[in-house]
Amino acid sequence: MASQELNNNEAILLNQRYEIQRLIKTKGFVRVFLGLDTETQADVLIKDLCWNDVSDWKSLELFEREVKNLTYLDHPRIPRLIEHFQTKKAERTHY
């Protein structure tokens, strides 16, 4: 998801389900967005890792470990993992 895509008025839909509302935070090669689950109408956080910006395999490994750990955690103060998917957008691969 290129930053200019967020500036236009068109909705960005990921995985035919999650609509990006706005960017919350950028840190290195990871961006966090507020989104809307169009199936449940619930607010969601979307964490985007862009492989093109990752400098080493360790960063991808840590991101995937976080996904795995979130699968097993169940606590009201920790976001629940709904889904993990990979998309290709504008010749960039996002996880």
Side-chain angles (χ1 to χ4, degrees), residues 58-90:
K58 187 68 175 174
S59 299
L60 178 59
E61 180 183 315
L62 292 172
F63 188 83
E64 290 179 339
R65 185 182 308 161
E66 179 182 356
V67 169
K68 182 179 178 183
N69 289 337
L70 282 173
T71 303
Y72 299 108
L73 296 176
D74 182 20
H75 189 277
R77 297 193 146 237
I78 299 174
R80 183 176 57 90
L81 179 68
I82 299 171
E83 188 173 8
H84 175 239
F85 55 90
Q86 177 180 346
T87 63
K88 285 190 180 247
K89 187 106 175 148

Side-chain angles (χ1 to χ4, degrees), residues 1 6 19-27 30-36 43-48 79:
M1 290 165 286
L6 291 175
E19 184 178 312
I20 292 181
Q21 305 290 310
R22 66 180 174 88
L23 178 65
I24 295 174
K25 182 178 181 178
T26 300
K27 185 172 182 180
V30 176
R31 292 175 291 181
V32 179
F33 298 93
L34 175 64
L36 175 70
D43 288 335
V44 294
L45 291 178
I46 300 165
K47 191 167 185 181
D48 174 51

Side-chain angles (χ1 to χ4, degrees), residues 13-18 83-87:
L13 195 63
L14 296 175
N15 212 33
Q16 301 175 345
R17 179 174 178 177
Y18 306 101
E83 188 173 8
H84 175 239
F85 55 90
Q86 177 180 346
T87 63

